[in-house]
Amino acid sequence: MTASNEEKWMNKKISRRDMLKLTGIGVAGVAIGASGLGGVMKAMGYDVFEPVADSTTASNKVNFYGSHQSGIVTPVQTNIYFASLNVLVTSKKELQELFQQWTPLVVRLMNGELMADISSNTRVPTGDTGEAEGLDAANLSITIGVGASLFDKLGMQHLKPAELKDLPHFPKDQLLKEYTGGDLCIQACADDPQVAFHAVRNLVRAASGKVEIKWSQSGFNSFPAGGGTPRNLFAFKDGTVNPSITDEKDLKKVVWVDKGWLKGGSYLVARKVQMHLETWDRTSLKDQEATFGRYRDSGAPMGKTKEFDDFDVEAKDDKGNYIMPDTSHVHLARKSGARILRRSYSYASGVMSNTGTHDAGLIFISFQKDPAQFTTIQNSLGRMDKMNEYITHRGSAVFACFPGVQKGSYLGEALFNAL
């Protein structure tokens, strides 16, 4: 923030009556009006569209600017807060202004800064909710995507990619409406759960009256002390066969879209998968390993000794039986021939009130250049997948995540240039 803008924000004097006028507050109570916090800040002299640079001095900092958005091939952090949003704006211009407003705010958050500098005026709402004050950037990455419904709402169907559509119904889908779809998404990942939550909370707050949260889910990962693949709540390693995040040639094949306004972006598939832990915990280790097709402790494919050993799904023993059971999750996924970049997190959200069992599972996130890659894998798993005995899919959404941003530009600019 420039010194002049900082001074305007810090020293602006405003009466309670003027504040009520600015925020559209009536006798019903104190709240930020439909113009949102950004409108209030702008009225008080703070330039909400002012470009912000990536910090070169912040600790544990992920850069915002680049060819691709952060949070896709960024090394996986320990926490996620994922939010699917409904859009309340009714025009393309308002939507464009929302992304222009969010862009510098996202940079500030990823710098480990507050959304706005602290004001000495205690008679107005603060520019930042404050729970991340004193914390560093915690490797925060923020990824923004748009859903198919957004294009229908705002009359932009001609720009909706053919690939951006709801997933088909799969076996074990018992999707709940309250965890399905959305116009926009914010994926905030960090090595501190409060930093991730703070980011989503404050971006939504800054857009008050323009967006509302449809559904959200927090999640967590834990990594071995020496590094390695995290384990899910079934205790098996999750993400072993991912493409390397440093192999740009492979990422172009698997992750990055290469055409249209989404070139350099990627499709995000989100699935909320309930894991029936009580049933799993009553299952023998032998059957658990046969379900995955891997050994639990080493993560090695069945018949091998190391986690990253390659394997032939058609390999059989001397009795003609598959070494890796043909109903195992890994066997069926490999046979599909499709690949994706998994970026999943475990979740635990208390207890299911109707059963008394754990409300826990996987917030499955994958990135791919076409959602058909995910669909191909799911169709291969089908009803044969032994994992179906232990999971139920409760939520689902697909989003097109914008390409990266260069300084002076803003999130989604290529989309609006195509209008």
Side-chain angles (χ1 to χ4, degrees):
M1 179 182 298
T2 63
S4 60
N5 276 329
E6 181 177 10
E7 183 179 6
K8 281 192 285 186
W9 174 245
M10 291 286 285
N11 299 328
K12 185 77 174 181
K13 303 300 182 183
I14 185 169
S15 70
R16 177 176 173 80
R17 179 173 294 179
D18 288 339
M19 185 62 193
L20 296 181
K21 289 178 181 178
L22 283 170
T23 56
I25 302 170
V27 295
V30 178
I32 293 178
S35 63
L37 181 66
V40 177
M41 293 163 66
K42 187 173 182 180
M44 295 177 69
Y46 178 82
D47 185 357
V48 295
F49 298 147
E50 180 188 3
V52 176
D54 277 314
S55 172
T56 58
T57 59
S59 300
N60 300 315
K61 154 76 177 162
V62 173
N63 284 335
F64 170 79
Y65 296 105
S67 300
H68 312 291
Q69 282 197 76
S70 66
I72 301 176
V73 296
T74 304
V76 176
Q77 303 95 322
T78 56
N79 296 274
I80 187 173
Y81 196 82
F82 184 88
S84 173
L85 312 177
N86 286 328
V87 163
L88 304 178
V89 299
T90 57
S91 71
K92 303 178 189 69
K93 179 65 174 176
E94 290 174 296
L95 182 67
Q96 182 181 30
E97 290 177 350
L98 169 64
F99 291 132
Q100 289 172 330
Q101 175 192 350
W102 267 354
T103 299
L105 299 180
V106 169
V107 184
R108 289 188 67 128
L109 290 166
M110 289 177 58
N111 282 344
E113 303 170 24
L114 299 179
M115 290 269 287
D117 300 314
I118 297 174
S119 171
S120 59
N121 190 344
T122 60
R123 296 181 178 274
V124 299
T126 57
D128 185 287
T129 54
E131 69 270 24
E133 186 174 359
L135 305 178
D136 68 22
N139 293 309
L140 174 67
S141 63
I142 297 174
T143 316
I144 306 292
V146 293
S149 56
L150 178 71
F151 294 84
D152 299 329
K153 276 188 176 181
L154 297 184
M156 301 190 298
Q157 293 93 337
H158 63 293
L159 291 177
K160 181 169 66 175
E163 296 84 359
L164 184 58
K165 55 188 176 182
D166 291 340
L167 296 172
H169 178 83
F170 301 114
K172 295 301 289 184
D173 273 6
Q174 294 184 31
L175 302 181
L176 303 174
K177 186 177 181 180
E178 57 267 32
Y179 289 112
T180 302
D183 300 328
L184 300 176
C185 76
I186 304 174
Q187 175 194 258
C189 300
D191 288 326
D192 185 310
Q194 192 146 306
V195 169
F197 176 78
H198 168 264
V200 174
R201 176 186 181 186
N202 279 269
L203 288 172
V204 173
R205 178 176 184 254
S208 176
K210 300 174 184 176
V211 300
E212 63 181 6
I213 296 180
K214 176 177 172 63
W215 62 275
S216 65
Q217 182 63 56
S218 61
F220 55 88
N221 265 327
S222 292
F223 295 85
T229 310
R231 294 181 184 272
N232 57 38
L233 296 184
F234 284 161
F236 280 74
K237 296 186 176 185
D238 195 308
T240 296
V241 296
N242 266 344
S244 170
I245 59 173
T246 61
D247 187 342
E248 191 58 38
K249 184 177 180 181
D250 201 26
L251 292 173
K252 286 181 179 179
K253 295 179 182 177
V254 179
V255 177
W256 304 126
V257 176
D258 57 9
K259 60 182 179 181
W261 62 261
L262 195 55
K263 184 176 181 179
S266 189
Y267 288 98
L268 181 158
V269 169
R271 303 279 285 182
K272 183 172 181 176
V273 184
Q274 181 186 357
M275 299 167 75
H276 304 299
L277 300 183
E278 290 79 5
T279 304
W280 182 258
D281 292 344
R282 294 192 295 268
T283 303
S284 70
L285 178 58
K286 180 180 180 181
D287 282 348
Q288 289 180 353
E289 291 179 335
T291 297
F292 270 92
R294 289 185 178 273
Y295 301 116
R296 188 185 73 175
D297 293 345
S298 67
M302 298 188 76
K304 301 293 182 177
T305 58
K306 297 180 181 178
E307 177 183 356
F308 296 101
D309 284 349
D310 198 10
F311 59 93
D312 177 6
V313 292
E314 301 297 339
K316 297 181 180 180
D317 60 22
D318 54 8
K319 295 181 180 179
N321 298 316
Y322 284 106
I323 295 174
M324 179 181 291
D326 59 355
T327 58
S328 69
H329 192 73
V330 171
H331 180 106
L332 293 168
R334 172 63 70 91
K335 284 193 73 172
S336 74
R339 299 169 65 214
I340 56 177
L341 176 65
R342 292 174 63 107
R343 218 172 183 279
S344 300
Y345 290 79
S346 298
Y347 75 86
S349 301
V351 176
M352 302 291 289
S353 59
N354 57 333
T355 62
T357 57
H358 290 288
D359 181 5
L362 192 72
I363 175 70
F364 173 95
I365 303 285
S366 69
F367 290 94
Q368 47 274 303
K369 69 187 301 178
D370 187 334
Q373 294 162 238
F374 173 82
T375 300
T376 297
I377 294 173
Q378 284 298 111
N379 284 337
S380 180
L381 298 173
R383 298 186 183 280
M384 292 285 291
D385 187 8
K386 193 170 173 59
M387 188 75 70
N388 289 339
E389 299 176 32
Y390 306 100
I391 61 172
T392 302
H393 292 252
R394 300 295 190 187
S396 180
V398 181
F399 298 96
C401 294
F402 296 130
V405 179
Q406 304 302 316
K407 192 172 181 183
S409 182
Y410 61 92
L411 287 159
E413 182 181 29
L415 169 61
F416 293 97
N417 287 344
L419 287 173

